[in-house]
Every structure is written in structure tokens, then in C-alpha cells.
């Protein structure tokens, strides 16, 4: 029985990994702070050679140092309450040291009789860059209006 009171089937780690492989967005599962499985889209997004290169890593390795305490608290609350997290803007640290801006969604699940969390990230880097460029352009246009 899930924390929401509705019956959900429990997944084995193998089943969860197979399911995550089918997700259309970068996704990974973790438990107690360690990544259990990931899909190839997650490996690409996070600069890893393959999904297996993410397995066993701490999820905090994927966060900026300044955000680790805050994200750790969010993970603990999500885990304790079973709350679904949807579209939260975050900046993740790639394995190669770069960063990527994402919208992160997450939910707690049962895997092999224990709680785990599945995260899905949608890359927002280009969208955010375009929005910043548009804002600068509008600012320059406003400035030229004041010159006239």
C-alpha cells in the first residue's frame, strides 16, 4: 500500500531499470542518496559515458555545492511524504564539470521492498538562454526609446 492509501504494484530493481529505459526524458532512480539506475538520456544530459557510469554515484554529486543542503531537504520531504514534485527549476552539475539547467520532477516509489525516488529532468538550458537574450534585447530597446 502506498502512502496515499492506494494500492500500487512494487517493482524490482530490474523492472524499474527497464521502465526508466522507456521514459522519453532523462530519468534516474535513487535510494539513500545513491543512483540505482538511469536511462541513456540521463547519461547524455549529465555528461556520463553510459547509464552505468551514473549507478552508485551520490545524487548530491549532481547538484551544485550551494544547493546541496536545500536539495537534500527537498528529497527528504519528498521521500517522507510521498509528495510528487513537478517542474522544479534546478541547475545540475554534469559528470564532466559543466552545468545544465533543468525542470526536475520526482516521485517516491517502492522498489525491492524499500522506498526509492525517480527523478526526471527536462533540459531548459537553451530555453533559459533565449529568455535571457530576449530580456536583454527588450532592455536595449527600452534604453533606445529613452534616447529619442
Amino acid at each position: 500500500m502506498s502512502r496515499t492509501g492506494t494500492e500500487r504494484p512494487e517493482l524490482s530493481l530490474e523492472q524499474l531499470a527497464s521502465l526508466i529505459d522507456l521514459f522519453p526524458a532523462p530519468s534516474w532512480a535513487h535510494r539513500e542518496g545513491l543512483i540505482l539506475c538511469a536511462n541513456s538520456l540521463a547519461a547524455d544530459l549529465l555528461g556520463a559515458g553510459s547509464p552505468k557510469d551514473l549507478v552508485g554515484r551520490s545524487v548530491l554529486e549532481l547538484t551544485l555545492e550551494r544547493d546541496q543542503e536545500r536539495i537534500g531537504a527537498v528529497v527528504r520531504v519528498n521521500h517522507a511524504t510521498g509528495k510528487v514534485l513537478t517542474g522544479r527549476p534546478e541547475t545540475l552539475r554534469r559528470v564532466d564539470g559543466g552545468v545544465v539547467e533543468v525542470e526536475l520532477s520526482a516521485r517516491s516509489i517502492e522498489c525491492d521492498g524499500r522506498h526509492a525516488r525517480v527523478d526526471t529532468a527536462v533540459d531548459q538550458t537553451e530555453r533559459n538562454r533565449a529568455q535571457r537574450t530576449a530580456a536583454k534585447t527588450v532592455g536595449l530597446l527600452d534604453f533606445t526609446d529613452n534616447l529619442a
Side-chain angles (χ1 to χ4, degrees):
M1 178 96 43
S2 76
R3 292 182 199 139
T4 60
T6 59
E7 194 79 25
R8 274 193 302 202
E10 183 179 309
L11 299 171
S12 69
L13 180 55
E14 184 177 295
Q15 290 170 320
L16 178 59
S18 294
L19 181 63
I20 286 177
D21 280 340
L22 298 174
F23 285 7
S27 303
W28 56 93
H30 56 96
R31 177 176 29 229
E32 298 172 1
L34 298 178
I35 296 174
L36 301 170
C37 59
N39 64 17
S40 60
L41 296 170
D44 291 343
L45 177 73
L46 298 170
S50 76
K52 289 181 181 181
D53 293 337
L54 294 172
V55 173
R57 286 184 179 269
S58 167
V59 291
L60 291 181
E61 287 180 46
L62 304 178
T63 62
L64 300 180
E65 191 171 322
R66 69 171 192 240
D67 297 334
Q68 288 181 354
E69 187 174 320
R70 178 184 55 79
I71 289 175
V74 168
V75 169
R76 285 188 297 279
V77 167
N78 176 263
H79 179 73
T81 64
K83 182 180 176 184
V84 175
L85 182 71
T86 306
R88 182 185 184 97
E90 295 292 350
T91 301
L92 299 180
R93 183 173 40 199
R94 292 169 43 95
V95 172
D96 61 13
V99 296
V100 59
E101 298 168 3
V102 301
E103 281 189 358
L104 192 64
S105 297
R107 79 170 301 141
S108 292
I109 61 157
E110 295 294 318
C111 175
D112 287 338
R114 296 173 54 205
H115 298 298
R117 179 175 142 139
V118 175
D119 292 352
T120 298
V122 177
D123 190 347
Q124 299 295 307
T125 305
E126 289 304 317
R127 176 178 165 230
N128 293 346
R129 186 176 294 132
Q131 287 176 338
R132 288 189 295 270
T133 300
K136 286 180 186 177
T137 302
V138 168
L140 288 171
L141 290 172
D142 287 346
F143 176 74
T144 58
D145 285 346
N146 293 331
L147 292 178

